[in-house]
Amino acid sequence: MSPSTSKPRIAVIGYGSQGRAHALNLRDSGFEVTVGLRAGGPTSIRAKEDGFRVKPPAEAVAAADIVAVLTPDMVQPALYREVIEPNIAAGACLLFAHGFNVHFGQIAPRADLDVALVAPKGPGALVRREYEIGRGVPCVWAVHQDPNGRAEACARTYAEGLGGARANLIRTTFKEETETDLFGEQAVLCGGASALVQAGYETLVEAGYQPEIAYYEVLHELKLIVDLFYEGGITRMLEFISETAQYGDFVSGPRIVDAGTKERMKAVLAEIQDGTFARNWIAEYEAGLPNYRRYKEADLEHPIEETGRRLRAAMRWLQADTPAGQAPARSAAAA
């Protein structure tokens, strides 16, 4: 961050869900923001429509005090080697929203750069919406290296520009952010929740119940429970469900998620901690994603998806809440 300017010049590289939200919030907070994108792509067109100066990534990087890398994880190593490292100014701040590549050694930042992390705990649409109404999404932040003594200021300034300081800023490390984020996605928020929902649906349908009823019971109504968790934890959930549901929670929950489940969670965490998951994911990406595509196709073709498409077509409020041409907002874990 240049000490001669009151506000650093920021280059946002990438303009997906998080990239767009970051760029808009930072600009509205008074920062000079340039978006780095290849010419002619759909995100480049959208960024220009949003009023941003769009430059090729190499040019955007060269003129910035803070370079925020907001592209997908697997794109970042080549982007850093080929575009960022040769062009970023000496003493600038290199900033990430997820610590994966730095923590697992896929990116070794140049020694003269301050390197920080700012990760909002919510999807891009929420980061933007909360900022616009005068609130903010909590952010975690970390410092990886600090040769110029400005990495903490870089992270905190950036987080404040996103609106995170209006909510909560929590200091972490690249290691802690990366490993807990991956664990949450795999064991609970995405992998665990999806597998639980699919198993519940299959159990009811195989027992002879209507697929539509099974869908409502194990997937549709899950949102109602998650919203209560979000608003006030398990305490609030227990306040708003019936005594019958509470009793079922107490006696049956531990039969589904038991000590064996926790041991398997520990095994998942161990593979994240020792780098096994990262190595497997990097190898899968480099091989052209054959298993990834197969796994994804299996999820998309699960019977609950066809049932859900038919039922959601009648849920007019879902279409009303979704901007034209966009999918409904993604969960916080997918951000």
Side-chain angles (χ1 to χ4, degrees):
M1 187 189 312
S2 171
S4 63
T5 58
S6 57
K7 285 185 179 292
R9 297 164 298 177
I10 300 175
V12 171
I13 311 301
Y15 205 70
S17 174
Q18 286 288 346
R20 183 171 187 265
H22 288 217
L24 290 168
N25 288 10
L26 291 163
R27 183 177 66 185
D28 288 352
S29 292
F31 292 91
E32 178 186 336
V33 179
T34 300
V35 178
L37 297 167
R38 62 180 177 82
T43 53
S44 175
I45 294 169
R46 189 176 193 195
K48 288 179 179 178
E49 290 174 346
D50 287 338
F52 285 104
R53 182 190 317 160
V54 179
K55 294 184 177 181
E59 292 183 24
V61 164
D65 301 306
I66 297 175
V67 174
V69 184
L70 299 174
T71 57
D73 288 336
M74 293 297 100
V75 173
Q76 291 180 14
L79 175 70
Y80 177 76
R81 291 191 304 270
E82 298 167 11
V83 176
I84 296 175
E85 187 173 50
N87 293 288
I88 190 170
C93 179
L94 180 63
L95 186 140
F96 297 88
H98 182 35
F100 184 97
N101 283 301
V102 171
H103 176 57
F104 289 117
Q106 298 305 294
I107 293 176
R110 218 171 59 199
D112 64 286
L113 302 175
D114 292 334
V115 180
L117 176 148
V118 174
K121 302 313 292 179
L126 182 66
V127 172
R128 180 58 180 163
R129 185 165 64 248
E130 288 296 292
Y131 181 94
E132 288 182 300
I133 61 178
R135 300 191 302 229
V137 170
C139 294
V140 300
W141 64 275
V143 169
H144 173 69
Q145 63 187 41
D146 190 23
N148 306 294
R150 297 191 294 269
E152 178 174 342
C154 169
R156 295 185 69 90
T157 297
Y158 189 95
E160 289 166 5
L162 294 184
R166 300 172 181 174
N168 195 15
L169 301 181
I170 301 176
R171 185 162 193 167
T172 183
T173 63
F174 273 62
K175 171 183 170 63
E176 183 176 60
E177 186 278 333
T178 301
E179 294 178 355
T180 56
D181 186 77
L182 292 175
F183 176 80
E185 291 171 351
Q186 294 174 34
V188 180
L189 305 175
C190 301
S194 296
L196 184 65
V197 165
Q198 289 173 340
Y201 176 87
E202 291 166 4
T203 299
L204 288 175
V205 172
E206 289 165 6
Y209 299 103
Q210 296 179 69
E212 294 81 4
I213 301 298
Y215 176 88
Y216 282 129
E217 290 301 329
V218 304
L219 190 152
H220 177 80
E221 293 193 24
L222 181 61
K223 181 185 186 306
L224 309 179
I225 300 302
V226 170
D227 284 349
L228 293 172
F229 283 159
Y230 184 79
E231 294 165 6
I234 294 173
T235 299
R236 185 167 178 83
M237 185 268 288
L238 292 174
E239 289 173 357
F240 281 83
I241 64 174
S242 69
E243 290 179 336
T244 302
Q246 289 182 42
Y247 182 70
D249 172 330
F250 303 148
V251 301
S252 297
R255 297 169 64 193
I256 304 301
V257 179
D258 59 12
T261 307
K262 189 171 179 181
E263 286 304 309
R264 291 187 292 275
M265 283 184 168
K266 289 180 178 180
V268 168
L269 180 58
E271 291 185 358
I272 291 168
Q273 292 171 324
D274 68 16
T276 298
F277 170 78
R279 289 190 296 272
N280 290 344
W281 172 222
I282 292 164
E284 174 71 15
Y285 185 83
E286 292 176 346
L289 302 173
N291 295 305
Y292 168 93
R293 297 183 198 282
R294 178 166 52 83
Y295 298 147
K296 187 171 185 178
E297 184 177 358
D299 267 0
L300 296 178
E301 292 182 352
H302 191 280
I304 199 172
E305 292 303 293
E306 173 56 30
T307 302
R309 280 190 289 271
R310 288 190 284 104
L311 294 177
R312 289 191 298 271
M315 300 180 196
R316 300 302 180 192
W317 66 90
L318 293 178
Q319 285 73 36
D321 291 342
T322 303
Q326 294 184 34
R330 299 170 63 197
S331 71

